[in-house]
Amino acid sequence: MLDVRRLRVLREVALRGTLAAAAEALHLTGPAVSQQLAALEREAGAVLLERDGRSVRLTAAAETLVAHTETILAQLEAAEADLAAGEGRFGGDLRLAAFPTVARCLTPVLRELRAAMPAVRIGVRELEPEPALAALRTAEVELAVVHEYSHVPRRPERGVQRDVLFREPLLLALPADHPGAAPEVQLRAFADEPGWILPPAGLTCHDEVRLACAAAGFEPPAASVAYSYDVTLALVAAGGLALVPAVAALDAPDGVVLARTTDVPAWRVVFAAVRRGSAHRPSIARALDALERAGEALAGAIARDA
């Protein structure tokens, strides 16, 4: 009989590409991961991994097991959700992960959920999309609010169900006294600006800004680097410029104007992710419903602000 816990380890290795990365995601030591996989090979009666430098390559047998693992885990999630739904059970934990721009907008959602489900322990972790999805896969959270960009699409996650909450444009934020400020602008017209503010390298928002500018025919010179959009907009008010998601700019400070880029439209799609099979668990279903309504409200605010 194959051990489900060991199958989870194999799946994480398939997702991460190295034993060390899988061990980190699973909060295990490297030797513990190796031992789990060796035991799984004995159970399966097949070689599952081949070394490829620092990485490992899954054999055909391992790929088959990973495909079945996704189905098995989804069925286990569905079974637990069916039990909870059948009993009308609103208990246990509801742990959410959300990236910073949306995490700060979750107050009404959390108040609603805590009032509707007083027996559920509700918590939020502020995480960027990649670690949020990793936490979802390893059952550290039940729901993750994540995003993808028009120029940086996110590959579908095996075993994860996605529900789109809203789509927002990226806007060019400019000082109000900038001679090029207008409701609509050509991004290429700002190729020679010296005051570009970029997110830190390694984030998908950084990649999106660079790729959008590349589509307009230039490489933005990073005069400043800022992680928080609050800081970014403050730097814009002081004379910089930046591409920012519309939700982040809803409360833009005085001295900042926002423009749509007509030559290179750029978008961010925000979605809720849950483990496949878990969406009808009562607490998760209630959270998804609340998030969908919050997404509609944010989309309406963006439209009114346009």
Side-chain angles (χ1 to χ4, degrees), residues 122-180:
I122 301 171
V124 177
R125 293 178 64 182
E126 183 183 8
L127 292 173
E128 290 294 337
E130 286 73 17
L133 287 168
L136 180 67
R137 288 194 301 269
T138 54
E140 296 173 63
V141 299
E142 283 68 52
L143 190 154
V145 181
V146 296
H147 61 62
E148 68 177 6
Y149 287 95
S150 50
H151 292 87
V152 194
R154 189 175 297 283
R155 67 175 186 173
E157 295 277 340
R158 290 188 289 192
V160 171
Q161 173 185 318
R162 296 169 39 151
D163 290 327
V164 173
L165 300 178
F166 62 94
R167 188 176 103 148
E168 58 181 324
L170 266 63
L171 305 173
L172 185 64
L174 296 162
D177 59 358
H178 192 288

Side-chain angles (χ1 to χ4, degrees), residues 58 61 97 231 246 273:
L58 272 64
V231 174

Side-chain angles (χ1 to χ4, degrees), residues 90-97 109-110 113-114 117 119-125 140-144 274 278 281-288 290-291:
F90 283 93
D93 294 330
L94 177 64
R95 298 161 298 182
L96 293 81
V109 172
L110 295 174
L113 293 178
R114 285 176 174 143
M117 304 183 297
V120 177
R121 294 184 297 273
I122 301 171
V124 177
R125 293 178 64 182
E140 296 173 63
V141 299
E142 283 68 52
L143 190 154
V274 298
S278 71
R281 185 190 298 260
S283 58
I284 294 177
R286 183 70 64 90
L288 286 171
L291 285 169

Side-chain angles (χ1 to χ4, degrees), residues 170-283:
L170 266 63
L171 305 173
L172 185 64
L174 296 162
D177 59 358
H178 192 288
E184 294 185 345
V185 298
Q186 298 276 308
L187 185 58
R188 68 173 67 94
F190 299 87
D192 297 326
E193 290 283 340
W196 276 96
I197 306 155
L198 268 62
L203 299 178
T204 52
C205 48
H206 173 92
D207 297 336
E208 175 66 19
V209 171
R210 295 191 62 174
L211 289 169
C213 291
F218 69 97
E219 172 77 15
S224 302
V225 175
Y227 176 73
S228 162
Y229 282 117
D230 290 340
V231 174
T232 296
L233 291 169
L235 292 173
V236 170
L241 75 165
L243 279 171
V244 299
V247 163
L250 284 175
D251 298 318
D254 292 340
V256 174
V257 296
L258 302 160
R260 289 182 179 262
T261 57
T262 56
D263 54 340
V264 183
W267 296 87
R268 184 169 78 171
V269 177
V270 177
F271 58 91
V274 298
R275 290 185 295 279
R276 195 167 298 281
S278 71
H280 61 288
R281 185 190 298 260
S283 58

Side-chain angles (χ1 to χ4, degrees), residues 282-304:
S283 58
I284 294 177
R286 183 70 64 90
L288 286 171
D289 180 64
L291 285 169
E292 287 169 3
R293 285 185 277 107
E296 290 171 2
L298 285 171
I302 292 168
R304 289 191 299 272

